[in-house]
Amino acid sequence: MTDHALRLLRQDRRLAELAAFPFDFDLNRAAHCHVEEVRLASGGPLETVAGDDTGGTYFVCADGSVLYADSEGAAGIIGSSVDETLELVIGLPGWRGYTRLSPDDGEEKILARVAETEDGIREYCRIDDERAELRATLGFPKRSPIELVGRLRAALLRTEPDFVLLNADEGCAYDRIGPAGPPLWEPVLAAGRADLACLREGDRTAWREVAEDPVRRRITLRAA
């Protein structure tokens, strides 16, 4: 998916203001940076594209995925692109309260949770006409809360190991938003097992690459 909708927001002040309020995706907050300096454990780049009124920040990663970091030290992938993330925050303005929901929880539970949250939001601001306007102008289909919750869960499960966020000064990892995935050592050792299989097959290129990379060498030895 492209980031066509993001370009429209940047070109149209009215749309940008609607995204900022009531949907809390504020492009102007990108200039304020996060509450602290952060980096990916993988060393990959991060681009700040928006923030919210709780001090949270929306980062775009090298593959286009959007990493959301809150101000309390938790982070997680919430979309495969900025456009997918915008679909989420517009379709589910209370999405932060659904990060542990799963389609397996059933339609009744999910719809009840969404209805309760959005009724609470409506006590303070309008969202229905604004949501319809943004969806129509940005070209987003009307997706069910069930589908959006499923997409959110799938995105959050991709956070580790490639998108672990660290405090840049201390190197401490942010907590993971949402459901617990497999232990981090599993994907790490999986890479080591793959290298080990190549070595056992006599792959000379693999021998050279593993020998020259101290990290891969240690992981391969641990997998043996």
Side-chain angles (χ1 to χ4, degrees):
M1 182 181 289
T2 66
D3 286 334
H4 171 70
L6 177 61
R7 290 194 294 274
L8 290 179
L9 290 188
R10 287 172 168 168
Q11 295 166 4
D12 189 315
R13 181 176 178 180
R14 159 71 178 169
L15 295 180
E17 288 175 348
L18 277 181
F21 184 82
F23 300 105
D24 216 8
F25 187 93
D26 191 341
L27 299 181
N28 290 331
R29 291 181 184 270
H32 302 162
C33 300
H34 193 47
V35 293
E36 62 183 3
E37 189 175 352
V38 293
R39 63 180 177 85
L40 287 177
S42 66
L46 288 173
E47 176 191 358
T48 306
V49 292
D52 63 28
D53 63 7
T54 69
T57 305
Y58 297 90
F59 297 100
V60 177
C61 304
D63 70 343
S65 295
V66 173
L67 181 74
Y68 175 80
D70 67 24
S71 60
E72 303 298 320
I77 294 293
I78 62 170
S80 63
S81 68
V82 178
D83 282 12
E84 185 174 298
T85 299
L86 281 167
E87 278 201 71
L88 170 71
V89 302
I90 294 167
L92 293 177
W95 68 268
R96 296 171 191 80
Y98 314 143
T99 57
R100 293 191 178 276
L101 284 179
S102 162
D104 293 339
D105 290 320
E107 181 175 326
E108 182 178 355
K109 178 178 179 179
I110 293 172
L111 293 179
R113 177 78 68 83
V114 171
E116 179 182 9
T117 303
E118 295 196 356
D119 284 346
I121 294 173
R122 291 186 185 96
E123 293 181 5
Y124 301 96
C125 59
R126 294 157 48 97
I127 58 172
D128 299 297
D129 291 345
E130 290 74 7
R131 175 158 50 198
E133 180 179 348
L134 277 174
R135 277 176 167 164
T137 308
L138 299 178
F140 292 157
K142 183 179 179 180
R143 299 187 191 276
S144 72
I146 310 300
E147 181 178 358
L148 291 172
V149 165
R151 290 171 65 165
L152 173 60
R153 183 177 179 84
L156 288 168
L157 287 170
R158 293 198 297 111
T159 302
E160 295 179 352
D162 295 328
F163 303 103
V164 175
L165 192 66
L166 305 179
N167 171 295
D169 293 329
E170 300 175 1
C172 298
Y174 272 46
D175 292 333
R176 177 179 181 151
I177 293 176
L184 190 54
W185 57 264
E186 287 188 3
V188 173
L189 277 188
R193 294 189 186 103
D195 280 338
L196 184 61
C198 290
L199 297 181
R200 285 173 171 165
E201 292 173 359
D203 186 325
R204 293 185 179 275
T205 300
W207 274 97
R208 183 177 64 257
E209 291 177 350
V210 171
E212 293 174 351
D213 187 326
V215 174
R216 286 180 66 178
R217 190 165 62 246
R218 287 196 298 271
I219 294 173
T220 302
L221 289 171
R222 180 63 64 88

